Amino acid sequence: MNKPLIEIRSMDVAYKKQKVLRNVSISVFEKDFIGIIGPNGGGKTTLIKVIVGLLKPTSGAIEWTIERSDIGYLPQGRQLDDKFPISVKEVVASGLERGLRMGIRSSIQERKKIDEALERTGLTSLRSRPIGELSGGELQRTMLARATVSSPRLLVLDEPDTHVDNQFEMELYSLLKDLNAQMTILLVSHDIGTISPYIKTIACVNRNLHYHSSNEITNEQLKIYNCPIEIITHGTVPHRVMKEHKQF
Ligand SMILES: Nc1ncnc2c1ncn2[C@@H]1O[C@H](COP(=O)(O)OP(=O)(O)O)[C@@H](O)[C@H]1O
Ligand SMILES: [Mg+2]
C-alpha cells in the first residue's frame, strides 16, 4: 500500500493538564473520505488541529508526507470578523499561497482558479459582495471556496454543515464527493446519517479514536464507542442504518 499522507501513532493531546485525546492512531491514505463523528467535547476539533499542524501532541507521533500548503482547512465556527471590509472574491483569493495580494495583481491562472472555486460553490454572482452582507450559509460557502481554491491534496473540514441550509447541505456533500476524485477529505460532522452515502470510512472520536474502514457502522458499535446516536432515530434497520439514507 502507498505511504499514507498522514500517520498518527499512539498520540496523546492535552491542554495544560487536561488530556483530551488518548492513544490515538490513524493513517490517512490518499483519496480516502473519512467522516469524523463523536459527541461534543470528544476531541474532534483537537484532532483536526493536530492534523493541520496548529497543535502538537503531548506524546506519540504524527508524520506528514505532504506539505502544510497541500492542506486546505475550513475551521469550525465563524473564523472571520464580518465587519472586516473584504469581498467574497478576496476571501477566496486568500486561500491561494500569495494570499490577499492576489486582489491587486493576479495571474490569469490564479484568476481562473478563483473563478472556478466561486462557480462550484455557487458564489459567482456574490463575488464582489462584502462579507458583512452575507448570510451564515453564504459565508460558509465562501470559506469552502477558500479552502478548495488551491486544489489541495488534503481537504479538512470541521463541521462545514453547521450554518448552511438543507439544500446547500446536500449540494455541499455532493460537491465534496466530486472533489474526492482529486483530493483526500476529512469531514467532521454531527450528522453521520446524512453524510454516510458520501464518505468512504468513519472515525469515531471520543477521547480515543476508532477507525472503521467502511461507511457503515452498527448501533452496537456506536454504543461501545459512545458515539452520537442521531442515526438511530433515523434508521429502522439496526445493522444497516447508513443504508437508510440514500434518499435523493
Ligand atoms: N484551547 C483549549 N484549551 C483548553 N481546553 C480546550 C481547548 N479547546 C478544547 N478544549 C477542551 O478539549 C475537549 C475537546 O474539545 P474539542 O476538540 O473542541 O471537541 P469537539 O470538537 O469534539 O467538540 C473539550 O473538553 C474542550 O473543552
Ligand atoms: Mg469541534
Side-chain angles (χ1 to χ4, degrees), residues 37-68:
I37 59 168
N40 268 336
K44 302 180 295 297
T45 296
T46 302
L47 173 69
I48 291 299
K49 284 185 176 167
V50 175
I51 286 174
V52 303
L54 292 173
L55 261 184
K56 286 203 163 59
T58 25
S59 65
I62 174 162
E63 270 175 42
W64 291 266
T65 54
I66 52 174
E67 304 289 326
R68 175 65 186 89

Side-chain angles (χ1 to χ4, degrees), residues 60-97:
I62 174 162
E63 270 175 42
W64 291 266
T65 54
I66 52 174
E67 304 289 326
R68 175 65 186 89
S69 57
D70 290 328
I71 303 178
Y73 173 41
L74 197 166
Q76 183 171 17
R78 282 181 172 252
Q79 312 90 43
L80 281 175
D81 178 355
D82 58 19
K83 294 190 185 58
F84 197 60
I86 182 174
S87 70
V88 168
K89 184 180 59 191
E90 286 166 322
V91 171
V92 176
S94 71
L96 288 170
E97 241 175 301

